[in-house]
Amino acid sequence: MRLISLFGLPFVAALASAAVPFKDCQHKVKESIHGPPRGWSRHTPAPKHHMLELKIALPQPKFPELEQHLWEVSDPSHPRYGAHLSKEETDALTAPHSETLDIVNEWLASYGLAEESLIRSSANDWVTIRVPVGLAEEMLDTTYHVYKHSKTGESIVRTTSYSLPEILHDHIDLIQPTTMFARFKAFRSTLLWGNQVQPSVLSESGRTITGPAGNQVDASCNSTITVSCLKQLYNAVAYNTSATNGNELGLTGYLGQYANNMDLQQFFQLENPSAYGSNYTFVSVNGGLNNQTYAAAGVEANLDTQFGFGLTWPTPRTFYSTAGEPPFDPDMFSPTDTNEPYSYWLDYVLSQPMLPQTISTSYGDDEQTVPFTYASRVCAGMAVLGARGVSVLFSSGDYGVGDGDPDPATQECYSNDGLNVTKFLPTFPAACPYVTAVGATVNIPETAIYFSGGGFSDYFVRPAYQEVAVSEYLAKLAPGTYEGLYTSYGRGFPDVSAQGMNFSIVYQGETALVGGTSCSSPTFASFVSMLNDARINVGKTPLGFLNPFLYSTGYAGLNDITVGNNPGCGTQASTYATTGWDPISGLGTPNFEKLEALVLSMD
């Protein structure tokens, strides 16, 4: 895929040496949306003094070259497989043209924003400024309003259109927060307390059942998932990772999700006693906190760290806490209003010379709530991570093909283009072609679970690596099936899957069960981390971007899921599991021994 429309823009003629009188230049609409997504309504004009932290994305003219590197170093059949790029190399390939820097600097200076007030990304492709709403409205020829969400009651400051002097249009890709209403919520389903299922667990004590690898698995794993269950199910009981070979696992937390260390140690005592007393590296991004009070413990953060770190111990591990949108009270003087967590996290990690080889994230939102320009730019950042040798995994979402309503019967699946047509709603960032999206399964034998997010992107065309697999799935559909509800040539997701229900965690000192694709992503990522460990132990490079491997040969190391469907948007079975790839379970769940043999056979 080539995102030429965003990353191959032509540049205007060389600038005249005289300063451009920007305030006298005619503005032209840079970006607009028909209206706020469903659930959001305009409330009041935004207070002029309210501070906005605006992130300005500058074009990356060499991105097609970086993308070509990504395909080559990620393709096991290519001579350059595994020859990942350095930070310095990717910075050079994502840097804006010098003319762009000059003219944007001049524009900012014309509003009194000198160099010392600007924050620049490592590659200089993002510029961040802090300005009051009143100044932002003048710069962008727009009007900001406070918008409220009908279901959550939360408020944000946004606009539905902004403009720039025409001379800047080829030098600025996007500015946010403006038209972006995405909430980037954590993916998880209902929290259940462990004592509600304890009797069934006890009744299965000592019995075994046959797992997907043909081995015997504790029968209790059919009702409660533990670290031991996952290692049994996915055939990795005998594998032990190293603490000293340089391999590392990274997990991300956003929007006030804090991993509680006391809960983590209690979890280790219960499920991996060898890890008890071990710790992880905490990294604050954009002011992300590390609140260790029990009341602040996050279900999502606890789930990710307990299973991710429990499965991979003693592999070194990192938890990134990224601040997101603070609560905004339109009746009070409030802090800076931001809700662009992925760009802040990407800014940080791409500025680091060394990164974890595997990173999992369990957050996202409906793709259509994310402006195409922002989605494309964040997706490009994921491509940079892949080119640097990082395997990036995302949960595929918890609402099947529908919106954020967990009940398929009441889901509202409408386009946000003013036409309000019924359609399936893909998830972002899971639908980005440069990440590995993970769906969810349940039970033994495994079936795809009804809430597993999946479908086809409306923004990103189907990449070459999955053309054969996805085309084979589409050929199985009866002519006209769900016609008009999805983009048949879009990037299909998820790519893979893993168990996603009844995970036993420790939350605020008590055992609880959770479910969702938020369970699946850190689980699959943990087995990828083990595969990286195995490769590094024999002097090979980490796997990096996984999808070209998974779709070419890696599928042979996966358990194909052929049963299950995810109803929604008024349909009884919007997508269904079948032989081969499908948009609910992807290519299947991991068989570690088979995958290990495959990855060790590659250069």
Side-chain angles (χ1 to χ4, degrees), residues 260-273 275-280 306 317 506:
N260 187 271
N261 295 335
M262 291 181 65
D263 283 345
L264 178 63
Q265 295 305 321
Q266 186 177 338
F267 177 87
F268 284 159
Q269 282 184 309
L270 290 170
E271 299 203 19
N272 190 350
Y276 180 71
S278 66
N279 210 331
Y280 57 90
Q306 289 172 20
R317 45 270 176 98
V506 175

